Amino acid sequence: MASKPRYYVSTAISYPNGPPHIGHAYELIATDAIARFMRLDGYDVFFLTGTDEHGQKIQQTAAREGISARDLVARNVPRFQAMAKRLDCSNDDFIRTTEPRHHRSSQAIWERMARNGDIYLGKYAGWYSVRDEAYYAQSETKVGPNGVRQGPTGTPVEWVEEESYFFRLSAYQQKLLDLYASDPQYILPKERHNEVTSFVRGGLQDLSISRTTFDWGVPVPGDPRHVMYVWVDALTNYITAVGFPDDDSATFRRYWPADLHVIGKDILRFHAVYWQAFLMSAGIEVPRRVFSHGFLFNRGEKMSKSVGNVIDPFALADAYGVDPLRFFFLREVPFGQDGNYSHEAIVNRINADLANDLGNLAQRSLSMIARQFAGVLPPAGALSEADRAILAAADAMLDAAREAMRTQQLHAVLNTIWAVVAQANRYFAGEAPWALAKTDPARQGTVLNTTCEILRQVAILAQPFIPSSAARLLDLLGVSAEERYFTWLGAGRRVAAGRALPPPAPIFPRYVDAETTPVR
RNA sequence: GGCGGGGUAGCUCAGUUGGUUAGAGCAGCGGAAUCAUAAUCCGGAGGUCGGGGGUUCAAAUCCCUCCCCCGCUACCA
């Protein structure tokens, strides 16, 4: 046990200038499935999520609402924490960048980068829109008909120069390229790897990493007029949580470097370029992989307040159930690509795969055992070719699932499992145990035993995705808590005949439309 | 503008070292069964493989060209 390999996986930290939305939920669910999978597969997992609470937008939102930034995050962050609980996520920590441990950590990494000669004081210059409170690149501005230069929103911009600390990102181009070249799967999916590589190959400019125009952030060591900016503080959360700056601590030595950062494709550059450069500069190992997932669209439309299709994850969980929701996202959308959701798609998927294919198979076999075998799991007699074939398919699942999980192909894991579920339904129909009840009860017992064995393996492997439903199914199959790890999968273990099973009950109810639906 | 990815059944997609009647899931249609959450099983149907041209005995697959979509990135005097 002491030699358990470790696995450190994180989500991005969410920006709590509003309530959590479906994008936050998706990333958390997917990462949770990965964390649970690795735990069940024998890893000592550290799963981190949290909130990125600094920055100008938080400060502005708070000002608009007439409260302090601190009060704004104090109000919003609990909503994110509640969402993690509601979605049955198993994060081991929830980091907030406003915590003292994180300020200490951010200042420490800054000092290390400075000591390495990579931070210098310069001037940040650009076109600034007072009205938008934002800088725009030259290319985003144009000279209007009245001769006044204006930004993309049409507001006037003026040339402003502000003192700023810079990070010598330009010095890290080759080191980054070497890193990407050293592992073609450093950034997944592969398209993203190529994008990042070509971006870095195109040359890197030094990065402005401090601001003086607002103060809601981590103060720059030795120059409190500045606060850290552009992700220095946010990215550092990943090492804070495992004990940085105490890099001799047991947790840091145990868990860093992280095995996997799961992020959205919109923040890939920060996580695959800047973060590694910061760490290299500070003399800290870089994370081992960055996986960039896609976005979810409501019927192909981006979620936005103006379109009015912002979906509340809590409402979704209430409407469909947590496990069906988790299942839908991870089964329907190839992980790494964009995906679509709609009420019809969700209902179709959960009814077909969960209620009909898996739930109904469990119900029909278990109720037969309850009625005709007094609730005692019958033993398997001599196995037929059909029995052997379906058992072999089930036994092969673990290897295929691990292979898919090596590159975070969550949908492929589910595909593997549900292919066996489909085969099990064909097997069950082909063997027709209800007919065997009259002609050959022993053979009927064998078929039911075999079916339960398939269900057992399916349920064990489905736990990362639908944890509480899988647990209920395993309860119904008489599988004890300690028998639910992946070491119990495969031909070496079989469902325990002779065990008295609890009375069966449906696990996945069919979704039937009510008057109101949370998603169009 | 540059680089990259893609356009295959109603929907989502698989299928490229070129080779027999182009596949899957879902939807739809027909049938069987009735143990089960009206669930399950079986079967037919459904495609000019973006358009055009070329190479080849043979092209969704290779070459040329055109159209369209998406991502990253640059530039706009």
Side-chain angles (χ1 to χ4, degrees):
Chain A
M1 242 356 161
S3 62
K4 255 191 182 183
R6 70 84 204 263
Y7 191 82
Y8 177 10
V9 60
S10 67
T11 68
I13 46 178
S14 306
Y15 202 66
N17 63 335
H21 57 66
I22 198 166
H24 298 119
Y26 176 52
E27 181 170 306
L28 193 55
I29 287 169
T31 310
D32 182 62
I34 294 169
R36 286 178 181 274
F37 187 100
M38 298 310 284
R39 275 194 208 101
L40 289 165
D41 207 15
Y43 288 78
D44 166 21
V45 170
F46 183 70
F47 168 24
L48 178 71
T49 189
T51 41
D52 169 23
E53 306 183 21
H54 293 130
Q56 196 168 20
K57 268 194 292 183
I58 292 275
Q59 200 163 18
Q60 285 172 352
T61 303
R64 250 198 314 279
E65 301 193 23
I67 59 178
S68 69
R70 191 164 295 284
D71 286 346
L72 178 74
V73 297
R75 187 191 72 196
N76 285 349
V77 169
R79 204 65 186 148
F80 284 82
Q81 294 168 323
M83 181 177 76
K85 285 219 163 39
R86 181 71 181 98
L87 297 176
D88 214 354
C89 291
S90 61
N91 51 297
D92 299 288
D93 194 357
F94 188 104
I95 189 166
R96 302 182 50 178
T97 55
T98 46
E99 294 174 68
R101 61 169 170 164
H102 182 66
H103 279 232
R104 209 161 49 236
S105 169
S106 299
Q107 293 183 323
I109 193 175
W110 180 288
E111 280 166 349
R112 289 200 196 185
M113 293 190 289
R115 203 180 309 144
N116 197 43
D118 286 327
I119 293 181
Y120 61 91
L121 189 59
K123 274 203 166 35
Y124 181 86
W127 293 103
Y128 185 74
S129 161
V130 177
R131 215 179 302 167
D132 296 349
E133 294 191 68
Y135 279 95
Y136 295 113
Q138 173 90 20
S139 59
E140 292 177 291
T141 66
K142 60 179 180 205
V143 178
N146 52 3
V148 176
R149 186 169 283 273
Q150 47 189 222
T153 55
T155 59
V157 295
E158 57 186 278
W159 188 256
V160 168
E161 297 191 0
E162 175 192 342
E163 185 182 272
S164 170
Y165 285 96
F166 282 81
F167 172 72
R168 221 175 284 283
L169 181 64
S170 57
Y172 289 88
Q173 177 174 10
Q174 194 53 50
K175 286 175 182 164
L176 289 166
L177 290 174
D178 291 345
L179 171 65
Y180 308 144
S182 74
D183 178 4
Q185 298 187 324
Y186 188 73
I187 300 159
L188 288 178
K190 200 162 152 249
E191 315 83 90
R192 302 296 169 200
H193 188 100
N194 297 337
E195 276 177 19
V196 170
T197 302
S198 88
F199 169 74
V200 173
R201 203 180 288 125
L204 296 172
Q205 305 215 314
D206 289 351
L207 209 56
S208 165
I209 53 168
S210 79
R211 280 297 141 79
T212 56
T213 50
F214 63 92
D215 60 5
W216 180 239
V218 180
V220 167
D223 194 348
R225 293 171 304 140
H226 290 253
V227 293
M228 298 181 192
Y229 195 54
V230 192
W231 290 80
V232 176
D233 134 50
L235 289 161
T236 299
N237 91 84
Y238 300 122
I239 53 177
T240 301
V242 289
F244 192 79
D246 183 4
D247 45 9
D248 274 330
S249 66
T251 52
F252 193 87
R253 294 166 64 100
R254 173 90 178 130
Y255 292 110
W256 194 259
D259 293 276
L260 177 66
H261 290 322
V262 176
I263 59 157
K265 62 182 186 180
D266 53 330
I267 53 176
L268 177 58
R269 193 189 297 175
F270 301 104
H271 281 83
V273 181
Y274 302 168
W275 180 221
Q276 284 71 13
F278 294 163
L279 290 168
M280 288 173 181
S281 173
I284 305 168
E285 280 189 81
V286 298
R288 290 176 177 164
R289 175 172 295 171
V290 177
F291 189 101
S292 152
H293 69 250
F295 294 151
L296 297 180
F297 299 104
N298 185 345
R299 295 179 183 276
E301 281 190 345
K302 191 173 177 181
M303 178 175 63
S304 77
K305 281 178 193 157
S306 52
V307 180
N309 60 350
V310 177
I311 305 298
D312 172 22
F314 292 90
L316 286 177
D318 291 346
Y320 304 112
V322 170
D323 280 353
L325 183 64
R326 292 171 58 111
F327 179 80
F328 172 80
F329 284 148
L330 301 179
R331 165 85 155 136
E332 186 89 358
V333 183
F335 197 52
Q337 296 181 211
D338 292 343
N340 277 293
Y341 63 91
S342 65
H343 176 68
E344 293 76 43
I346 295 171
V347 169
N348 190 46
R349 194 92 241 182
I350 66 184
N351 279 353
D353 286 357
L354 295 180
N356 297 352
D357 285 353
L358 179 54
N360 184 51
L361 178 63
Q363 183 65 13
R364 65 202 302 209
S365 52
L366 289 171
S367 65
M368 211 175 285
I369 291 171
R371 204 169 333 100
Q372 292 168 22
F373 292 84
V376 176
L377 187 66
L383 296 181
S384 71
E385 270 312 301
D387 303 333
R388 286 184 217 284
I390 186 66
L391 287 169
D395 294 341
M397 286 192 299
L398 179 59
D399 279 348
R402 279 179 175 153
E403 179 60 29
M405 194 53 90
R406 261 195 272 285
T407 52
Q408 288 76 46
Q409 298 300 285
L410 301 177
H411 59 289
V413 176
L414 286 170
N415 206 36
T416 294
I417 301 172
W418 257 261
V420 170
V421 172
Q423 192 177 336
N425 271 306
R426 287 192 288 275
Y427 165 82
F428 200 83
E431 299 308 307
W434 57 91
L436 290 169
K438 295 154 203 154
T439 58
D440 189 348
R443 175 62 197 159
Q444 182 195 20
T446 300
V447 171
L448 291 173
N449 176 286
T450 301
T451 303
C452 286
E453 167 59 15
I454 307 307
L455 290 171
R456 183 187 72 89
Q457 294 207 43
V458 162
I460 288 176
L461 207 48
Q463 289 176 101
F465 306 92
I466 46 173
S468 61
S469 318
R472 265 184 293 144
L473 179 50
L474 289 166
D475 289 344
L476 294 180
L477 292 164
V479 176
S480 69
E482 35 315 338
E483 297 170 334
R484 298 179 182 188
Y485 288 91
F486 290 172
T487 49
W488 290 79
L489 289 170
R493 316 273 193 171
R494 286 297 185 229
V495 70
R499 234 173 242 188
L501 304 184
I507 301 155
F508 303 103
R510 283 180 63 77
Y511 183 93
V512 182
D513 268 318
E515 292 101 58
T516 55
T517 54
V519 184
R520 283 190 302 128

